[in-house]
Amino acid sequence: MGHPVHLSATPKSGPNVLNGHPAENFNSRNASPGLSGLARKVHRNLQDYGWRITIRKTSAYLIRSVYFRQVYRIYRINLEGLKPSVDSEKHHFTFKILTVQNVDMIAQIENIAEWLRGRLIEALTAGQLCLVALNGDEVAGFNLINFEHATLILVNLRKKLRRDFAWSEHIAVKKEFRKTGLGSQLRFRIFQELRRRGIRRLYGGTLRSNIASLSLARSVGFKEIGDIHYRKFFSIEKWRYKRVRG
């Protein structure tokens, strides 16, 4: 996310708190899903989290169209002066920059991250960068980078980036490849590629409740800089930014 130093230290509400604007297609991606969509989410959550968390997440989906709140944590890393990491992981992965010609890989990525379905080719065509980790021909994980905008889908905000800044749009590792160090490998390799392209700062974010994602970010050198508190009641939306004192 670009230029958070311009944010007011005093928390505010409203769509201009980040000098950004509401993200497109927010309602279709955050409102209560249709029956088929809900069934897919329930099945996926059962596989990943078990029935207790699935019940809690499903209940949240059902009430989302009326009332919705999130706390989204922003973090950043300065890429200048970063030392290359030493790859000490035992599991061997092949890394590749995705292109629109890699149709099978694109299909696998869209299956891992459902919100990217029908959007990934457009993103690549627009100049976004996607680093893919392969286990043979299988996509084990990926990191999608946006050079134009920071799109905070979960809190419905979008902000234009400076030329030498980038935003980590999405990072994911398939369940069977978690705890192999792949998340760190993806991050360190994307750092190298971004530095090669002249990017000085990489920003990203996740829900404050996503401990695993925040732990990964901290372990590779990201610094947490702020929280975005978002509330939506029917069609009324409010934002409040609060800096994190590290």
Side-chain angles (χ1 to χ4, degrees):
M1 182 181 177
H3 252 354
V5 292
H6 286 170
L7 299 178
S8 170
T10 303
K12 298 186 294 184
S13 296
N16 294 321
V17 64
L18 295 181
N19 294 325
H21 55 83
E24 296 175 358
N25 300 323
F26 171 79
N27 290 332
S28 63
R29 291 156 73 171
N30 289 276
S32 180
L35 291 178
S36 61
L38 180 59
R40 286 198 303 270
K41 290 180 183 295
V42 169
H43 177 69
R44 196 179 194 89
N45 285 327
L46 279 171
Q47 290 181 317
D48 288 348
Y49 305 111
W51 66 270
R52 290 181 183 274
I53 294 179
T54 298
I55 290 175
R56 188 166 70 245
K57 289 169 73 73
T58 301
S59 299
Y61 284 129
L62 293 175
I63 66 173
R64 205 171 264 189
S65 59
V66 176
Y67 179 74
F68 181 62
R69 63 181 297 179
Q70 296 277 31
V71 181
Y72 194 83
R73 177 148 292 183
I74 305 295
Y75 45 74
R76 75 177 175 205
I77 188 167
N78 294 325
L79 300 178
E80 294 176 311
L82 272 183
K83 296 180 179 179
S85 66
V86 178
D87 235 344
S88 59
E89 304 299 336
K90 296 180 180 179
H91 202 298
H92 177 71
F93 296 100
T94 303
F95 294 87
K96 174 182 174 56
I97 301 297
L98 192 69
T99 70
V100 293
Q101 284 74 40
N102 303 130
V103 178
D104 180 64
M105 295 180 197
I106 289 172
Q108 291 186 58
I109 290 172
E110 291 181 347
N111 188 51
I112 295 171
E114 293 184 1
W115 74 271
L116 283 173
R117 286 184 179 174
R119 304 172 188 266
L120 187 52
I121 290 180
E122 180 182 350
L124 296 173
T125 303
Q128 292 189 32
L129 167 68
C130 187
L131 177 66
V132 181
L134 298 169
N135 182 52
D137 293 328
E138 180 183 7
V139 173
F142 70 95
N143 194 179
L144 180 64
I145 302 294
N146 194 325
F147 298 102
E148 296 293 328
H149 294 91
T151 306
L152 291 68
I153 295 299
L154 295 177
V155 289
N156 191 23
L157 279 176
R158 194 176 190 218
K159 179 170 169 51
K160 187 171 179 59
L161 296 169
R162 280 176 42 168
R163 286 183 59 187
D164 52 355
F165 289 1
W167 173 259
S168 182
E169 194 93 341
H170 194 96
I171 183 169
V173 174
K174 287 187 70 175
K175 184 179 180 181
E176 54 266 40
F177 299 106
R178 293 171 189 168
K179 298 184 179 180
T180 63
L182 178 54
S184 297
Q185 290 184 62
L186 280 166
R187 285 300 200 190
F188 287 129
R189 288 174 183 268
I190 209 72
F191 294 165
Q192 294 174 14
E193 178 63 22
L194 292 175
R195 285 184 63 192
R196 188 184 69 80
R197 297 184 181 213
I199 300 300
R200 292 193 304 109
R201 286 185 183 178
L202 175 64
Y203 290 82
T206 187
L207 292 180
R208 196 172 62 183
S209 59
N210 192 337
I211 303 302
S213 182
L214 286 175
S215 295
L216 171 61
R218 293 164 185 156
S219 70
V220 298
F222 281 100
K223 303 299 181 185
E224 295 161 43
I225 59 174
D227 288 334
I228 299 171
H229 296 256
Y230 170 78
R231 290 188 181 186
K232 178 173 179 283
F233 182 64
F234 289 102
S235 61
I236 301 172
E237 298 176 292
K238 289 188 177 181
W239 296 261
R240 180 170 60 89
Y241 179 84
K242 183 177 181 181
R243 292 185 182 180
V244 173
R245 304 294 181 184

